[in-house]
Every structure is written in structure tokens, then in C-alpha cells.
Amino acid sequence: MKWVFFLEALLLACFVLLSQVTAKNSEDIRCKCICPPYREVEGQIYKQNVSLKDCNCLHVVDPMPVDGKDVEAYCLRCECKYEERSSGTIKETSNPTVIVSYFQFTIIMYLSILGLLLLYMVYLTLLEPMLKRRLFGHSQLIQSDDDVGDQQPFANAHNVLSRSHSRSNVLNKVEHAQQRWRRQVQEQRKSVFDRHVVLS
Amino acid sequence: MVHVSEQCLNVTSLLCLKCTFCSLLSGVYEESNGTSRTAGMNGNGPSRLVDPLEDPLPGVGTYEDFNTIDWVREKSKDRDRHREITNKSRQSTVALLHSISDAFSGWLLMLLVGLMSGALAGGIDISAHWMTDVKGGLCLRGFWFNHEHCCWLSNETTFQERDRCPQWQSWAELITGKSEGPFAYIMNYLMYIFWALMFSFLAVILVRAFAPYACGSGIPEIKTILSGFIIRGYLGKWTLIIKTITLVLAVSSGLSLGKEGPLVHVACCCANILCHLFTKYRKNEAKRREVLSAAAAVGVSVAFGAPIGGVLFSLEEVSYYFPLKTLWRSFFAALVAAFTLRSINPFGNSRLVLFYVEFHTPWHLVELAPFILLGIFGGLWGALFIKANIAWCRLRKTTCLGHYPVIEVLVVAALTALLAYPNSYTRMSGSELISELFNDCSLLDSSQLCGYKQVSVDNSLADRPAGPGLYTALWQLALALVFKMMITVITFGMKVPSGLFIPSMAVGAIAGRLLGVGMEQLAYYNHDSVIFKGWCSQGADCITPGLYAMVGAAACLGGVTRMTVSLVVIMFELTGGLEYIVPLMAATMTSKWVADAFGREGIYEAHIRLNGYPFLEPKEEFEHSSLAVDVMRPRRMDPALAVLTQEGMTVGEVESLVESTHFSGFPVVVSSESQRLVGFVLRRDLLISIDNARKRQDGIVSASQVVFTEHTPLLPPDAPPPLRLRCIMDLSPFTVTDHTPMDITVDIFRKLGLRQCLVTHNGRLLGIITKKDILKHMAQMANRDPDSILFN
């Protein structure tokens, strides 16, 4: 039951944040008019930061390349579109004002998660066996009865490592959970990549 | 809380506590006058004594990996729970609030699923858009800007080259300083290949290292999960994280794949993870599958910006059982997701999909002929693609091609990049290609596809002959068509997340556009012929090639996936053109008929069959006249059915019987002479209960009697206490007689979601039919290898 109230509070916070984010910066709207070639005048693109009601040929095309009587014919060919860029800005109130675009935030977060995953993978495949070998040598390597997968020594390394220092219960639980996860991934890898049983 | 039951009146108080072990197991309170009605596990009558909100022994009632759930049991568990909450709600305000929040929890869960999926899809779109542009160059203002945003404010864009601006530099410019010339071209080419290889390599090693279940499309496995199969970890959090990250990488690497199928998988993962917050859905597998059906609708909704199409897709393609309640909830979730995506606005202008078109030009009845032609093409392409792809995937499963997944991905990515870069239509991503092909030419377009010759004075758009630009575009498109047709066959099914909606639509759009331009030119040069005279006179704008591209895309996608109604709805939600329903329907129906002539299965069913999942196809009919006795086990030469008797077996005998066979359940009979059926007990529950009893209950040894009856028989005073296991037994197993026709039996299995069914003869137990037996029998009838059914 407590969950429900907590969730609702979280949702409310999300909505508030979202409404802040959708506040538009003046840089994010524009009217773009594309005018094709007309007689001697070349094709041109005009952009201006105007609002929706002013988004037409007469307000945006400046300077007008043709004279008075041709303006109407010229403007008839032009296509004006009102465009919004959805970056949204999150302004922090402290000084100096830091403007972080929503898009930038997404991409930087994506790249950092990707980097973290790659680092974790490098750690699991390269650094752990080195650590284990340096601390214990080969004699304490306990082979499990299951298989001789290349990851198996690492599952035991955690066991051996954790027994040597007297860690608290929480860390032990984390070790256990990680080992269990490792075994699961290995099982999955066997069924998908080796035996081709699931997901051909 | 410990009640003294009648059996305990004759024994010591110590044993009394143990007698009630089984009642504590399910929370049954036995009355001391012995008129209790012990409840089995499949629900109870009106005099309900079990409290379903309490936890039974942990592990009882759960399923093993790669097994099918028991729909009947799950549904009745939920009904009992609901009844209990409703009864309790009259007692106090807290209980009333609890019942209201229980009713609300479904809607809250849908809201959360929609929000989370919409947010993730928005993130995926933004990142994929940026990363695709990284292959071409970088923005000097900040590396996180993609091409469009980089050139947003610049004033140096010209009409002819409206994509260029000085802030966006291609790799040749960044590295060598030159932007034209052969050296710059080669530099760009090499950097393109480098980035394609890098992205695909990262994708496949992440999948391999963290979540091997994240590869492929996901829709065949989700279909199987929704029919009752369990694949642990397939919808977990690591699969979600890895699928999201590697989907962006795979799409950006230029491989010929889409992101719609994986988005369905992502949405289902979100739903599965959020189900853990609510007890009602965490503990009940049937309720969870209702939420997963809705999540599949959400996936398509965020992929195409088509909420209604998403719900219909879930109904038609993915779900197995789709009650009306799920229809409304799926719609709500899809709407919330579409709203979230819209507010994130990844493509600007509040569009949801990159290829949103808005033309409304009318079409003429004579044009139905080329539309039907496109339908035939789509059907042929669909049948050919399915056969080729399944053959390639089978090669991957059986030969040494499957031992080198990383190298395979790298080779395919290199091949794709090598062949795709020279042709500008294959260099751009699939969505951009479709967007360009769907759009009709206006005066403002400077692309090659709109390179018509201006013959009329007033610069009108209609009725122009093709210029040299258009001819170049046509043969480039033809090459692109051949390339895409061949490369998609080997790309779909690789060990990276891959979808096939976009590649199929691209193939169809190219074919449609070619046909449309052909028709247009035919109309231009033959205004007086019989075909065009009435409606397509000189100077009239009668043929829109963009519409042909749209119809072609729908036809090809329909041929591959065999979707009908959902495809039409998705297409007109994409375009907003309700006047095009008739051409779309004509093309889709034609392509489905033509493709069905070559093989009845769509691509997802074909993959299910390739992997041997236990999926009982709901749309097929069972046409043979076999009887239940032909399919049941044991067959004539086999040893007799392994049964348990309701009393008289010891724990040791039961354990040895269970361990010597690999059956997942055992019927319980009155005695081995009479073979009258009492109930059915599952292997997993049996082993867990015996194991727990040995550890927790004193006195349970191998010589203890196992008792399935309500009242324990009188035992000699020195005998060890009995183990009462009535509570784990299903008291209402489904039975058919031996002369029941198989089509009725298959119907029963499908409609009720059974896993096994007992066969009786004159009231006596004869044998058992499981879902796997039915699938093997159907495979045999269709002359396929019955051993390809791998799971039970």
C-alpha cells in the first residue's frame, strides 16, 4: 500500500519536471521559408525566430528579392513551415546559469552508460583474473563440477576473495548476487550461442 | 492458531503439532469435529476456508524455466484472491481502501508502463538519430548535436544544398581539411566503414557479455511467453538495459534492420519489471501476461506513433488470449506512451515518426490494378524472404557458421557498409529512405528523385516528363532494391537486436515508387490511350508516386508478417490519409493471399517452429481424424503410466518413482487395481514439499506414508507420522475419454490453456496427453520432424 503513495508522489515530481522542461527557449522555435527559383531570382531559404501567427512569407522573407507586383506570385510558391526544436532547457537557479539541453542530457547519459558497461566488461574479462592470480595463485582455484566455461574461474574468485577479508553481510550478499547473475548469464550464453536452443 | 484435528486426539501432543503442518502449509483451519473440507490447490467452493492472501510454502505454485504455466490454476488463484479481498472489504475501512487500490493497481501499472516505455523510446530515438549522423561527421559547436540541430541556426544554408553548413564537418574535412575530391570521398568512405564496424562490434560484444537474450527481434519469444511459456531472464532488467543500448548501436551501424520488434521487447521488459511492484501481478503468471499483451501494444505504438494500430497488432499478432478488459487497458497504455513520446518530441514538430506524410491527393479506380500488382509483389517477396531467412537461420543453428557470432556480425556489417556507401539511397538510414520515398515532390525539393523536366510555362507540378536526375535516381533505386532484398535475409536473426519492419517497408517503398514513377511517365506519354483518357488528361496531376510507395511498403510488410487489419490501421495512422484505406486493403489482402499460397506461416511463426517452442497455433485447424487414444501416452509398447496412489506409498517409493522418470506431473489414483482418478500432482510441488518436510517436520523418514486423502488412515502406534500432501494436489484435472476426437481435444487445450489432459476409459485412468504430445503429433501429420519440438 505504501508503494502506491510513493509511486504517486514520484509521478507528481516527474510531471513537474516535465513541465519545466517543456518551457521553450527562444532559440528553439523558428519559421523556415523555402522559396524556389523564380525567373532570375535563385532559390533561397529564409529563417527567423517568429511566432506561429507571423510565420508567413511576408514577415520572414527579408529582404524581398522581387518588386511590388511580383511579391504575390513569388510568395505563392514559397513554403513556410513553423518548426520547433525540442531541446527544452533546464535552467539551474544558481549562478552562473547553466543551460543543459534535454537532448544533450540524453546523449551524454547514453554515452556514459555505454562507457560504464564497457569498463565493467573489461574489468570482468581482464582485470579480475589478474587480481585473483596475484592474490592467490593457481592452487586455490576451485573447479566447479558444472562446466569449463571461460568465465567459471571468476565465479570462484569472488568466493575466495570474499572469504579472505571479513566483510560485512551486505557485501557478501552483493557478492552472492553477482555470482548468481554470472551463472545465469553463462547459462543464457550456452543456450543462445553454443547450443542454439533459444533465439536461433 | 494451532487447531487440534480429530486425528490428533489419539496421539501425543508432539505429533499433534506435526499433523497440522500441512494445514499450516495452505492456511487451512480444520474444525475439531472433523467436518472440514480440505481445499485442494485449484480453488474452493463457497465454504472457503483458505486465505489466499497468505503465502504458501515458497516454491510451490511456481514454475521451472522452459516450462508452460497452468492457466486454469493461475486464473482460479486470482479469482479466489479477488473474492477474498471483496469479502474482507466489508469489514473495515482499511480493507475497503485496500480493495479500491487493488482495483486501481491495474490502471496505475498501465500508466507506469506507458510512461517508462515512452521515455525509453524517446531516448532510443534521440541517441540513434545522433549516432547515425556520427558516421558522416561531427558538429563543431558541440559533439552532441546531430546534423539537423547543428545547422539549425546557421544562415549559410542555400537552396541547392540545404543540408550543408560550416558547423557540420564531415570526417574528410576534419581529418584532411578538404571536402571535395576523390581523396575526401575515400576518406569519408573509410570512416563510414570504420564507424559501422565499431558500432556493430560494440553491440555484439555487449550482448554476448551481459545479456545473450537481448539479440534478435524478440517477437517470436514474446509470442511464446504470452501463450504460457516461461523463459526466465528474457524480460529482466539486464536484458532491458542491454537491449536498449545495443539497439541504438545496431541501428546506427548502418545494418539493414529496424527497431520496431526490439521496441516491443523493450516495452515488455518494462512491463515485467514494473509488475514486481504490485503483488497482484508479481505472483500470478496469467495476470502478468495480460499486462505483457498491453505492453506489446505500447511497443508498436511508440515505434510508429500509432496507438490503435499497436493495440490491433497486439491482438492479431502477439497475444494468445486477449479478453476485452485487456483491449481497453492496452489502449490506455498505448495512449500514455504516445503522449510521453510526443512531449519528448524527438523529431521536432511534434511528429512521432520520422516518415510522417500528409498528402491527400485522390486516387482513381484504374489505379487498383497497379496496387494489386504491388500486392502480388509483396506476397512473393514475403514468401521468398521467409524461406530464405529460415534456411539461413537453420544454417546458423546447425553448421559452424553459428560458432563465430562476433565475426559474423562484423563481416555482415563490413559488407553492408562497403556496398551501401556508394549509393546514396542505401547510405541513408531506412527511415530516412522511406520518408523520402513517401513524400511527394513539390517545387521545393531539390533531390534527384524530383528531377523532372520543366515543360510547362507556369512551373506546375503536374504531368512532367522525367529529367536526367530522375533517371539516375531510378537506376540507383533499382540497385538499392536488389541490395536490400539480399542483405536483409542475412541480417535478420543475427546476434544483435534486429527488427524487420523498416527493411521490409523500405523494399516495398522502393518497388512502389519505381512503379509509381513508371505509371506517371506512362500517363505522360500516353494521354490519349484508353486507360488514361477519362481521368488523366494533359496537365492534370493524376498519379502520385508517393502513394504507390506507401502501398508497396504495406504490401511487403504484410507479405512478410501476414498482418492484415493492424497493418492497414498502422499505415493510415502514419499518413493520416483515410481515403487510402481501399488501396491499402487491396494490396494487403492480395499480398496475404499470394504469400499464403506458398506457406501458411508468417516470419514469426516460422521462427517459433525453427526454435521448437511449444506454441500451439491458435489460428490453425486440426484436420485429421485421429482420436485421443492415438496420441496419448503410454503407447501400446510403453511401460504403464506412472501413477501415485492416494495412500499406501511411502516417501521413499514416491521419491524413487519421481527420480526414475522425468515426467513433470503424476496422476493420483484410488488404488492400482481400480485406477480411479483422484487428482493430479506436479513434480516440482512434490519435490519441494517432500524436501521441506524432511527438513522441517520431525519424524518424516523414507518409511513415512504419503497420504493424499482428507483423513489419514489409522496407523500402528510405532509407525512414523504420515506426510499429508492433499493440499498440493489438483482435485479437478481435466479428462477426456479415449474416443474423443483429436480436434476437440486440441480445441480444449487451446481454449483453456491446458498443459496436460488425462484420458479415461470407462471411468478408469488410461493415459495422459501433454501439449508436447499434441505438437509432436501435429508435426508428424504434417510430415515434419517430431523431434524438433524441444521443450515441454
Side-chain angles (χ1 to χ4, degrees), chain B residues 561-589:
Chain B
T561 57
R562 312 291 163 85
M563 299 195 309
T564 50
V565 181
S566 37
L567 181 59
V568 173
V569 173
I570 288 176
M571 290 306 290
F572 80 67
E573 271 187 297
L574 270 180
T575 61
L578 284 171
E579 51 261 2
Y580 303 132
I581 290 188
V582 174
L584 285 174
M585 268 172 49
T588 315
M589 291 309 300

Side-chain angles (χ1 to χ4, degrees), chain B residues 651-686:
Chain B
V651 170
E653 285 171 5
V654 169
E655 275 178 331
S656 63
L657 177 66
V658 168
E659 265 142 43
S660 63
T661 58
H662 54 264
F663 302 134
S664 45
F666 300 92
V668 178
V669 293
V670 171
S671 67
S672 26
E673 298 85 35
S674 69
Q675 292 278 331
R676 286 191 353 251
L677 186 63
V678 176
F680 194 84
V681 65
L682 291 176
R683 176 203 193 89
R684 183 179 161 88
D685 294 346
L686 203 56

Side-chain angles (χ1 to χ4, degrees), chain B residues 163-219:
Chain B
D163 288 335
R164 296 271 192 92
C165 65
Q167 287 98 351
W168 176 267
Q169 303 235 326
S170 66
W171 290 108
E173 283 172 2
L174 282 171
I175 297 178
T176 63
K178 281 192 277 202
S179 63
E180 300 290 332
F183 187 57
Y185 183 81
I186 292 181
M187 198 71 221
N188 277 330
Y189 202 162
L190 285 175
M191 285 307 288
Y192 185 89
I193 297 180
F194 165 72
W195 283 115
L197 282 176
M198 164 81 102
F199 290 154
S200 47
F201 177 67
L202 286 178
V204 72
I205 55 173
L206 279 175
V207 163
R208 189 168 195 281
F210 289 119
Y213 278 160
C215 60
S217 158
I219 294 188

